[in-house]
Amino acid sequence: MKEQIEQIKENSIKELSNAKDLKELNDLKVKYLGKKGELTQVLKTMGTLSTEERPIIGSLVNKVRDELNELIENKEKQLKQIELNQKLEKEKIDVTLPASKNKRGSKHPLNRVIEEIEDLFVSMGYDVVDGPELETDEYCFERLNLPKGHPARDMQDSFYITTEYLLRTQTSAVQARVMMANKEKTPIRVIVPGKTYRREDDATHSHQFNQVEGLVIDENITLAHLKGTLEVFMRKLLGENTQLRFRPSYFPFTEPSYEVDVSCFKCGGKGCNLCKQTGWIELLGAGMVHPNVLKMNGYDPEKYTGFAFGTGLDRLAMFKYGITDMRYLYRNDVRFLTQFDQMDT
Ligand code: DAH
């Protein structure tokens, strides 16, 4: 029996040291030391031995078992280390590989312009407000000194929903809303960016477009304030060298009224195809708030004066970014939109 044990020991040591991986090692552990393992089988036959032999064989089996256990433990450590090394080798990170980029969305050029304008006016103490796109005739026209039947209503072809409701044709509607909402009739300084709608169907106009409105009401507001404000506005947006030109015009809600041209930023005023050789581009409507408008919306024209302006954001964005066709703004073509990611603003 001693020889049998020695034989088992010899075989197992040989096999164990040849084990190539943890699975094989585990199988060998079962083969020799498991419940039905070879060494365990030997222990089970101990009963057939004489009393003298039993302790000798017993302690021999125990010794071999301890030796094998130790061997297995060491081998296990060794194999684990080898596996780890292989894994590390395989999973080596090549830090020189280019990183995989996350695709980000792009800001629409219109939103870029709106955000820039908002930042500028907020820095000058203005609030940014909005109003409903489905507007009443009262706020869109009547409270702006445009009673029903007024010929100037023809300046804007409107989408009427009912006789009282329409899609607002101008952000000017929010002027009246802000004045009416201000119950204490305190000074006002707001801009209103937003969507507007008109029944236009030619190539350079869209039935839906965007405007930004400005309204300031306070004591002693003069035309000089309007000129200074629009100068800052246009120079910040289109470049420091931009010149402004005020042409007398007519709007029912302002008196006096102006159309404001900016010097062509493409040719600097020399004349080119963009400005149709005039050197100027018409960009804003503006004026001093009509006393009737102040009165109709609860402000005392003897105490307060104000100025207002409005401009089309689509045209502004087109000029600023050199976009030649307005329809690009509404097509949501990702190739078009991502171009603006490279720009600062
Ligand atoms: N609402 C005018 C338009 O859509 C633009 C405008 C003109 C706005 C003069 C104003 C203003 O605030 O004072 O054509």
Side-chain angles (χ1 to χ4, degrees), residues 26 40 62 192 196 206 236 249 327-328:
N26 202 45
T40 323
N62 282 341
V192 188
T196 43
S206 152
K236 175 80 197 326
S249 182
R327 284 167 294 192
Y328 280 126

Side-chain angles (χ1 to χ4, degrees), residues 95-298:
V95 291
T96 64
L97 280 177
S100 62
K101 274 191 200 154
N102 284 338
K103 269 204 175 141
R104 288 190 304 152
S106 320
K107 251 186 226 168
H108 195 281
L110 270 172
N111 285 332
R112 287 172 193 269
V113 170
I114 291 174
E115 279 179 18
E116 195 179 341
I117 294 172
E118 286 180 353
D119 284 350
L120 170 66
F121 278 95
V122 165
S123 79
M124 299 197 291
Y126 285 65
D127 287 329
V128 179
V129 296
D130 57 18
E133 287 170 38
L134 181 63
E135 188 51 283
T136 58
D137 185 272
E138 177 190 351
Y139 278 97
C140 202
F141 296 127
E142 287 191 37
R143 287 189 173 279
L144 295 175
N145 205 26
L146 266 151
K148 289 202 169 72
H150 193 291
R153 283 193 179 210
D154 295 347
M155 287 162 79
Q156 304 175 357
D157 273 334
S158 318
F159 284 116
Y160 272 92
I161 308 297
T162 66
T163 45
E164 184 50 29
Y165 283 95
L166 73 159
L167 295 176
R168 69 177 175 197
T169 55
Q170 50 184 357
T171 44
S172 305
V174 186
Q175 285 191 27
R177 289 200 169 269
V178 173
M179 284 188 252
M180 289 302 287
N182 188 334
K183 296 273 179 283
E184 287 84 38
K185 304 302 168 194
T186 48
I188 287 173
R189 217 182 274 155
V190 293
I191 56 159
V192 188
K195 291 196 179 80
T196 43
Y197 302 82
R198 284 185 206 176
R199 285 173 48 184
E200 315 260 16
D201 51 8
D202 62 89
T204 52
H205 291 89
S206 152
H207 62 280
Q208 187 259 298
F209 53 105
N210 297 272
Q211 290 188 331
V212 62
E213 191 83 10
L215 175 70
V216 169
I217 297 175
D218 207 337
E219 293 176 38
N220 304 317
I221 294 292
T222 69
L223 189 58
H225 294 119
L226 172 62
K227 287 185 110 174
T229 304
L230 291 186
E231 244 166 46
V232 171
F233 180 14
M234 288 297 119
R235 288 190 178 152
K236 175 80 197 326
L237 231 75
L238 300 174
E240 278 308 311
N241 295 325
T242 307
Q243 299 296 316
L244 269 63
R245 182 172 81 169
F246 283 65
R247 275 185 294 111
S249 182
Y250 173 76
F251 295 103
F253 29 88
T254 41
E255 181 60 36
S257 301
Y258 301 92
E259 276 173 288
V260 185
D261 301 337
V262 297
S263 53
C264 178
F265 44 82
K266 192 174 169 197
C267 63
K270 286 194 227 50
C272 67
N273 58 348
L274 185 68
C275 58
K276 299 193 186 87
Q277 311 304 329
T278 64
W280 296 96
I281 290 170
E282 180 194 323
L283 221 49
L284 302 111
M288 302 306 291
V289 181
H290 198 294
N292 282 353
V293 174
L294 289 170
K295 223 184 302 172
M296 266 189 275
N297 296 293

